[in-house]
Amino acid sequence: MRLLDSENLKSSHQTSCFIAKILDQETNNTMTFVKQNSELLPERIGGPGSIFDSPGYFRVASRGRRFRRFIKMKFSHSVFVLAALVLIYFAPYGFKAFFHVTQEAQQESSNVVKPPEYRSCKIDFLESVNDLVEPKDFTDFRNFTQFSLDYIDKEDVSFGTNMYKPRFGGHQTLQEREKSFYAKDHTLHCGFVNAPGFSSTGFDLDEKDKTFMSTCKIVVYSAIFGSFDFLRKPAKNKISDFSLKNICFVLFVDEKSLSTLSTEGNNPDDGGYIDLWRIVIVRNLPFDNMPKNPKVAKFLGHRLFPSARYSIWIDSKVRLEADPMLMIERFLWRTGSEYAISNHYVRHCVWEEAARNLFLKKVTATAVDEQLKMYQSDGLTKFNPSNPNNLLPSYNPESCLIIRAHTPMSNLYSCVWFNEVVRFTNRDQLSYAYAYVKLRRMNPNSPLYLYMFKDCERRSMAKPLGHRLPHAVVI
């Protein structure tokens, strides 16, 4: 209040000075007008011999006119002074009202643009990884559903090569899609599908990189394709020596992105590293739709790192700012989960997310309409936050951070989710809930233990920094 009063007094003083200048100017103008008219008056009201020409009359008339002008001038001054006093008196209230309205507008704007969910929050991590021991239920994943998965790596071209076009995701029929959701021993489409007589369908890696990746037991990985993002280096000061020694940090890039990073001073050393990232070059990207290419790494980590027990995927738009082992302990081991992902920061319904993507032109109306119609016909409903029987706390994730144990159910879910992204739009958030709900419905006795944590916790572990380029291609 003291600050506001001082500001009001200052404003009132400035207002008074301004009005005083106006009054001075008006007084000068009035005096000039009187002087000029006094000089011109004899010639205007009469000539020689007129009664008005007498000195006595002129003095009386002049005094009378001067008196009336003086009264008018005083009245004008009084009006200005009164107006000035009114302005000075009400100025503090006006400024208070202005600041009050401005404060309310700023508060309303802040509530819309930056709600509390947008902030990071503290996570109850262990103090250190020194005494960290993997729980017994996780040593052989005995606490989770056990079955064997195999993957289709070649397709039979029985209907003729003239009509066949090889695809990285294969040509999955609707019948094969339906069967793929069962948690049982079987073979399913999960990328890396080739055909006899054809070259690779994409995502080609050097053998030396494959050898290195096969040794990884725990991996943190990301991808930059099409020079879409800047290089985000993990925060070393928040990662323990244990994690630095025992975890693989892998960044997949195409040659274009590597060239862009080099021009920015980020060149791999002799061992192929940029900071913590082991750079793995991907050639022959499988999709013309550029935003779909990172989904290969994002969902198929269990295929790229065949020996890995745990993996943490982070989008290239975020920077890792937590110890990976503490993340695994907190969100997998402590919760008894095999898959962990965060809620979206504001939207929790698939239809809301679809509308937002349409508004931002990240998808076409035809593509998203086809996708949601199929999902709705297969039982997916709009998310109802008041429904206590919801299978998930949110049907819309912020999928830039995924923490996984490579269990059979986790691998199966990653495959079926990836197949939905291949079949429909590149916006994986639109297929997240459908894949999970269908998996649960078709395997009532074999649940996927999925844990959704808070968005503010995600922001504490993976700081969002934004993309270098906007989405140029939609589907």
Side-chain angles (χ1 to χ4, degrees), residues 45-174:
I45 62 176
S50 171
I51 58 171
F52 300 110
D53 189 43
S54 62
Y57 183 85
F58 176 73
R59 283 196 299 271
V60 173
S62 298
R63 287 174 182 172
R65 290 187 178 92
R66 283 198 298 270
F67 178 76
R68 286 195 296 273
R69 292 190 183 104
F70 176 78
I71 293 300
K72 290 180 180 179
M73 184 176 66
K74 285 292 185 180
F75 178 77
S76 300
H77 285 187
S78 299
V79 171
F80 277 111
V81 171
L82 180 62
L85 292 174
V86 171
L87 288 173
I88 293 172
Y89 180 79
F90 285 104
Y93 299 98
F95 282 115
K96 287 180 181 180
F98 172 78
F99 285 122
H100 179 69
V101 172
T102 303
Q103 187 176 9
E104 285 187 344
Q106 290 176 346
Q107 185 176 3
E108 181 179 356
S109 175
S110 64
N111 288 337
V112 173
V113 178
K114 294 182 179 180
E117 293 84 2
Y118 283 37
R119 297 194 297 266
S120 60
C121 56
K122 188 175 181 180
I123 306 173
D124 55 338
F125 284 134
L126 296 179
E127 292 185 1
S128 73
V129 300
N130 294 336
D131 299 322
L132 198 63
V133 178
E134 185 178 22
K136 292 182 178 180
D137 289 340
F138 281 84
T139 54
D140 58 2
F141 297 138
R142 73 181 72 176
N143 197 41
F144 305 109
T145 304
Q146 298 297 316
F147 56 93
S148 178
L149 287 179
D150 201 0
Y151 309 107
I152 296 173
D153 57 3
K154 286 184 175 63
E155 284 185 326
D156 182 20
V157 191
S158 58
F159 47 82
T161 58
N162 292 334
M163 299 176 58
Y164 181 82
K165 181 180 179 181
R167 296 177 183 172
F168 180 81
H171 296 76
Q172 186 189 51
T173 65
L174 290 177

Side-chain angles (χ1 to χ4, degrees), residues 183-311:
K184 62 179 183 179
D185 297 347
H186 69 300
T187 303
L188 73 157
H189 288 81
C190 194
F192 300 99
V193 179
N194 295 306
F198 291 88
S199 60
S200 167
T201 54
F203 218 86
D204 300 334
L205 308 176
D206 289 340
E207 289 302 321
K208 64 176 182 179
D209 291 325
K210 290 182 180 180
T211 301
F212 165 77
M213 292 160 58
S214 66
T215 65
C216 298
K217 303 298 182 182
I218 304 173
V219 59
V220 175
Y221 67 117
S222 186
I224 303 175
F225 297 134
S227 297
F228 195 73
D229 285 306
F230 295 100
L231 180 71
R232 313 297 187 186
K233 298 178 181 179
K236 280 185 179 180
N237 61 325
K238 297 184 179 181
I239 301 177
S240 64
D241 291 338
F242 177 87
S243 294
L244 292 174
K245 293 177 181 178
N246 293 279
I247 294 177
C248 298
F249 293 83
V250 176
L251 177 63
F252 295 100
V253 298
D254 60 339
E255 292 175 300
K256 177 182 178 182
S257 299
L258 183 60
S259 176
T260 301
L261 294 178
S262 297
T263 61
E264 297 170 346
N266 296 306
N267 294 296
D269 60 19
D270 294 338
Y273 286 85
I274 300 178
D275 198 63
L276 292 184
W277 291 120
R278 166 67 183 262
I279 304 301
V280 174
I281 300 175
V282 180
R283 295 179 175 84
N284 188 22
L285 294 178
F287 298 107
D288 294 332
N289 179 270
M290 187 57 70
K292 276 192 177 182
N293 289 305
K295 312 299 183 184
V296 176
K298 183 173 187 174
F299 295 114
L300 306 186
H302 59 288
R303 301 214 60 189
L304 293 167
F305 304 95
S307 302
R309 293 176 51 79
Y310 302 97
S311 68

Side-chain angles (χ1 to χ4, degrees), residues 22-49:
I22 294 177
L23 292 177
D24 291 340
Q25 185 176 1
E26 286 293 324
T27 303
N28 293 334
N29 293 340
T30 304
M31 295 300 294
T32 303
F33 176 79
V34 171
K35 180 179 179 181
Q36 291 175 346
N37 280 280
S38 298
E39 294 173 349
L40 296 174
L41 191 57
E43 297 180 3
R44 290 175 57 196
I45 62 176

Side-chain angles (χ1 to χ4, degrees), residues 334-397:
R334 202 183 304 181
T335 62
S337 304
E338 51 195 320
Y339 207 103
I341 194 171
S342 77
N343 296 330
H344 194 273
Y345 48 88
V346 65
R347 294 181 294 280
H348 302 289
C349 181
V350 178
W351 275 263
E352 291 177 1
E353 181 66 20
R356 182 61 178 172
N357 278 270
L358 280 171
F359 175 77
L360 297 176
K361 299 181 179 180
K362 293 183 177 181
V363 291
T364 63
T366 302
V368 75
D369 187 58
E370 177 189 1
Q371 184 173 8
L372 293 188
K373 277 186 176 180
M374 174 170 276
Y375 290 174
Q376 193 170 24
S377 67
D378 200 16
L380 185 67
T381 59
K382 294 184 178 180
F383 182 75
N384 181 2
S386 62
N387 184 1
N389 298 319
N390 282 327
L391 294 177
L392 292 169
S394 173
Y395 276 11
N396 189 32

